[in-house]
Amino acid sequence: MRASYDQIAGQSVERLAALSDGVFAVAMTLLVLDLHAPAVGGVSSERELWHALASLHPQFVMYLMSFLTLGIFWVGQQTQLNCLARSDRHLTWIHLIFLFAVGILPFSTRVLAEFPGYRVALVAYWGNLALLGGVLYASWGRATRAALLKGDIPEDVVEAICRRIEVAQGLYAAGALLCVFGTEWSIAFIALVQLWYALAPRLRRAQ
Amino acid sequence: MRASYDQIAGQSVERLAALSDGVFAVAMTLLVLDLHAPAVGGVSSERELWHALASLHPQFVMYLMSFLTLGIFWVGQQTQLNCLARSDRHLTWIHLIFLFAVGILPFSTRVLAEFPGYRVALVAYWGNLALLGGVLYASWGRATRAALLKGDIPEDVVEAICRRIEVAQGLYAAGALLCVFGTEWSIAFIALVQLWYALAPRLRRAQ
Amino acid sequence: MRASYDQIAGQSVERLAALSDGVFAVAMTLLVLDLHAPAVGGVSSERELWHALASLHPQFVMYLMSFLTLGIFWVGQQTQLNCLARSDRHLTWIHLIFLFAVGILPFSTRVLAEFPGYRVALVAYWGNLALLGGVLYASWGRATRAALLKGDIPEDVVEAICRRIEVAQGLYAAGALLCVFGTEWSIAFIALVQLWYALAPRLRRAQ
Amino acid sequence: MRASYDQIAGQSVERLAALSDGVFAVAMTLLVLDLHAPAVGGVSSERELWHALASLHPQFVMYLMSFLTLGIFWVGQQTQLNCLARSDRHLTWIHLIFLFAVGILPFSTRVLAEFPGYRVALVAYWGNLALLGGVLYASWGRATRAALLKGDIPEDVVEAICRRIEVAQGLYAAGALLCVFGTEWSIAFIALVQLWYALAPRLRRAQ
């Protein structure tokens, strides 16, 4: 009986993609709720408003960085899902765990934004990145093992997706390790990696 | 005149699926708003930040459990919707009530997270689960009676979906009854059931 | 030049439907944020928790009523969109105004929930309902005049959709007028109308 | 290896459209959270409730204006996406930056709503509009250069989309410049431009 349910449950890649787009869209937009407009009472001149807005730059940079992070993982997930002919219940649950990790990113970002000098905050943030990457890696393993890919996906694409995750996660881990010198090194390094992944195709094109 | 409106209203399974994915996505992401970052003022060392984060573990576990719950019911609903050739207004309203129950799950989760030792909170949470399951059961009954299923759905799949809901709801009810011994027994039992439904296909595969 | 832009802009019914599903999904789920869990400090027994939860029933009923309202207008909108072969920029903007009215429903609901005895709050709520209905009526007029309907939509369906909006809006207006006797009459009457629209297909079926 | 990943990543226009619809839907609905219902304690008569609601009109106008803005850019983006046969990783990242600008619009709107007399607030709001327009312009440039358009898009449509953005951004910049006379001139001018773009097709039709 259960086997029968498992065979029919969670087969729609489209529904999985739609739920994922929804979770990413909410997570991307919720992040901005942490940008609070300056209080009216504390501002009485253009210069003070400018300073009040400028003093938001740590939250703003953090929002931008998390938006980049969500963008990178959204591109990574949709690249995988586009290669799938169908899903199964196992793969669906792997992606639900992925979405759980997406959902807590606003929280771990907020912790890092409030405690940028603390290693615990940095390791929590990195743990979130590692969870996102690890689950995406497991998803791709499942998809290839269970023959869920479309028939026309060449072997080197399968490997490129694996290697991409391995390299990115290696860089994130290296960035996290830099916190033995200081969390500012880690944050700067991880931010550079994110910028690289977002801008890289453009730079290569421009060559 | 009204009959004519009923015949054309609410026929799109795709729109129903899209609305459902949106409601699930928002509900899954709103849950994390209850995870508040520790206050900056109360933390002055790595150890204190660690303790502050660690002290969030009840909210975190509750969030994970509700995410699992939403995931289970999302898989259950999409499995049904995938079997439908079309919808009708009756079925659409059954699913709108289902989405209402999805929408209040963050509320009943929050009540249980704040009052884990209270039977009233547990019964309210279980009532939410029972409403979700009952409405999904009614949806399947409606779909089979009104011949809304695709032509190629075999009879044993129809029965597997019914039995699946009956078994799950039986287990939830048994878990809720355990609160005569103590709500912690109920919470642990229901959490185990949710984990089982999320992990079960993986465990069987691994055998 | 502008005419050329108008001819190509806003033609996708699918995108309009997807945006609408998103706005409805968020509005339906945001409503529940007004249901606040009881404060931990004020509760020290099962009975007190029960009373604290029971005292939320006005907000709960209001949430249910607004969910019904959103559901009714969602069904109404998707019924129209399902009949369209394509959209145009004019129709797209009519539906954006419709979504604006959807977006403020949580606000006007909250005002009515906090001031149930005030005619101003009731008229504001009814104004929101009237705006929703009026815009939907304008949308249907535009769709039929500009020949945006699919070729196979029979004439009596076109009329049924018009009459449906006219009857519903007539009932809402009558409900709003009842506030000369007392806002409680208006609220009860409008709630009954909403329940009727949600349950009616089921009751007729059961006959 | 990386080239291979770039070739397969971010190709789905449908997923990009779905994510965009989600972000727009959340941004459109979040704006209304800034409309706070009057406090119960401060109101003891119909007249006071009326005054309390009427005093919300600046926030309400600001919400309407931002909703119009989001609607204009949503129509602009979907018009472009409808013309695309496929996406690539470069274009996907341009649209992710566009969505970032969409996500911060509620924030810059809130700043302008609270500091309507401050040039800094106005320039920040205009900066957001300019970012939205600039990124959309870059997206169209990329799409035409990289031959991502559907085969049947005529040349004058390609130019109409370019000119449309140039004219709109020129008007916004002119509006922003008006702040040398006073921010109220800027706000009124930009609001008129937005109304024009929303209502223009209707007015021309009516001629």
Side-chain angles (χ1 to χ4, degrees), chain A residues 164-188:
Chain A
R164 168 60 184 265
I165 300 176
E166 290 160 4
V167 170
Q169 289 298 319
L171 291 170
Y172 294 147
L177 271 177
L178 284 176
C179 78
V180 298
F181 303 110
T183 54
E184 63 275 27
W185 289 94
S186 295
I187 294 175

Side-chain angles (χ1 to χ4, degrees), chain D residues 4-20:
Chain D
S4 181
Y5 184 79
D6 286 352
Q7 279 158 22
I8 53 166
Q11 292 190 338
S12 169
V13 180
E14 289 75 27
R15 290 290 309 269
L16 193 54
L19 182 72
S20 304

Side-chain angles (χ1 to χ4, degrees), chain D residues 107-129:
Chain D
F107 171 72
S108 53
T109 300
R110 206 174 296 141
V111 172
L112 185 56
E114 289 189 12
F115 301 96
Y118 286 78
R119 282 176 204 159
V120 168
L122 186 95
V123 170
Y125 187 80
W126 168 74
N128 204 336
L129 291 183

Side-chain angles (χ1 to χ4, degrees), chain D residues 59-143:
Chain D
Q59 283 92 327
F60 196 81
V61 167
M62 214 39 100
Y63 174 47
L64 180 57
M65 189 171 139
S66 284
F67 200 97
L68 283 183
T69 306
L70 287 173
I72 287 165
F73 282 102
W74 180 79
V75 171
Q77 189 208 20
Q78 69 130 305
T79 302
Q80 285 198 14
L81 292 182
N82 286 347
C83 294
L84 297 184
R86 59 191 181 83
S87 179
D88 64 6
R89 208 171 149 227
H90 195 123
L91 192 82
T92 296
W93 271 102
I94 294 177
H95 280 271
L96 285 171
I97 295 167
F98 178 72
L99 295 181
F100 176 76
V102 169
I104 56 177
L105 195 69
F107 171 72
S108 53
T109 300
R110 206 174 296 141
V111 172
L112 185 56
E114 289 189 12
F115 301 96
Y118 286 78
R119 282 176 204 159
V120 168
L122 186 95
V123 170
Y125 187 80
W126 168 74
N128 204 336
L129 291 183
L131 181 60
L132 284 163
V135 174
L136 220 43
Y137 199 74
S139 150
W140 195 235
R142 169 70 191 167

Side-chain angles (χ1 to χ4, degrees), chain D residues 11-32:
Chain D
Q11 292 190 338
S12 169
V13 180
E14 289 75 27
R15 290 290 309 269
L16 193 54
L19 182 72
S20 304
D21 290 334
V23 170
F24 271 101
V26 180
M28 283 171 167
T29 326
L30 276 187
L31 285 166
V32 90

Side-chain angles (χ1 to χ4, degrees), chain C residues 115-138:
Chain C
F115 302 97
Y118 286 76
R119 282 176 204 159
V120 168
L122 185 96
V123 170
Y125 187 80
W126 168 74
N128 204 335
L129 292 183
L131 181 59
L132 284 163
V135 173
L136 220 43
Y137 199 75

Side-chain angles (χ1 to χ4, degrees), chain B residues 144-207:
Chain B
T144 49
R145 275 200 313 280
L148 301 172
L149 300 191
K150 288 175 186 164
D152 58 348
I153 307 291
E155 187 58 32
D156 61 331
V157 163
V158 174
E159 276 170 33
I161 288 180
C162 279
R163 237 166 319 154
R164 167 60 183 264
I165 301 177
E166 290 161 3
V167 171
Q169 289 297 321
L171 290 170
Y172 295 146
L177 272 176
L178 284 176
C179 79
V180 298
F181 302 111
T183 54
E184 63 274 28
W185 289 94
S186 296
I187 295 175
F189 186 85
I190 291 176
L192 280 177
V193 172
Q194 307 297 61
L195 276 175
W196 166 258
Y197 279 121
L199 299 177
R202 227 152 306 167
L203 298 179
R204 255 199 310 278
R205 289 264 170 195
Q207 281 165 5

